[in-house]
Amino acid sequence: RAEFARFWNAAGQKQFAGKQHECGDREKIFTGSGARDWRKPGIEGGDWGDDQPVVCVSIAQAIAYAQWLGHETGKRYRLPTSSEFDRGHAGDGKVRVWVDTCGIGAKAADGCGKNIARGRSWASRDGSDSNDFRGNDAAQNTIGFRVVRDVDK
């Protein structure tokens, strides 16, 4: 979460005009986002510290972070594909993660319409993965992201 804060302060806030997407709560489907955002995701059990995964971000924000990180480091970062998620057993974490189902490098803002969050989260009731289809600006306090760095062969 601390790394996302660096992005937000350096570029994200300006890029998204300071707009925080509504952050849904998996346990309270029929309520609004309240005051939840990536800084205060409203997760039961206390504080969600800077050493925890960032949640309450949209796929567009996740892609923007990966692009920003690449610009900062000179390396290429992106969201994992669904098959990379499967190979990396990425579902064993605290949050479900956005995966790129639109093709490597596709931008969510282009309207792919196939945004999927995969895996298990702190709120999962059983050991099975879930695949949730979401819109480009959807955010939830059980969905975060991981990035993959492409390396030259």
Side-chain angles (χ1 to χ4, degrees), residues 48 53 55 90 93-97 118 120-122 142-145:
W48 195 252
V55 293
K94 288 186 170 188
V95 298
R96 292 178 293 148
V97 297
R118 296 202 43 205
R120 294 182 296 278
S121 77
W122 59 270
T142 57
I143 301 174
F145 65 93

Side-chain angles (χ1 to χ4, degrees), residues 14 22 28 56 59 65 75 78 92 98 105 128 142:
K14 182 178 179 183
E22 291 229 352
K28 300 176 182 93
C56 291
I59 193 168
Y65 170 82
K75 302 185 183 326
R78 59 180 172 76
D92 297 335
W98 290 116
S128 62
T142 57

Side-chain angles (χ1 to χ4, degrees), residues 62-75:
I63 290 170
Y65 170 82
Q67 292 170 342
W68 172 83
L69 184 61
H71 178 74
E72 290 292 302
T73 64
K75 302 185 183 326

Side-chain angles (χ1 to χ4, degrees), residues 13-33:
Q13 190 167 5
K14 182 178 179 183
Q15 181 175 349
F16 291 95
K19 180 182 185 254
Q20 294 290 330
H21 296 289
E22 291 229 352
C23 178
D25 185 328
R26 182 180 185 271
E27 302 304 311
K28 300 176 182 93
I29 292 173
F30 297 110
T31 62
S33 67

Side-chain angles (χ1 to χ4, degrees), residues 10 14 58 92 100 107 110 121 137 151:
K14 182 178 179 183
S58 69
D92 297 335
D100 180 358
K107 291 185 178 182
D110 292 339
S121 77
D137 61 352
V151 293

Side-chain angles (χ1 to χ4, degrees), residues 78 81-90:
R78 59 180 172 76
T81 65
S82 198
S83 63
E84 288 169 335
F85 174 91
D86 290 337
R87 286 193 309 266
H89 303 288

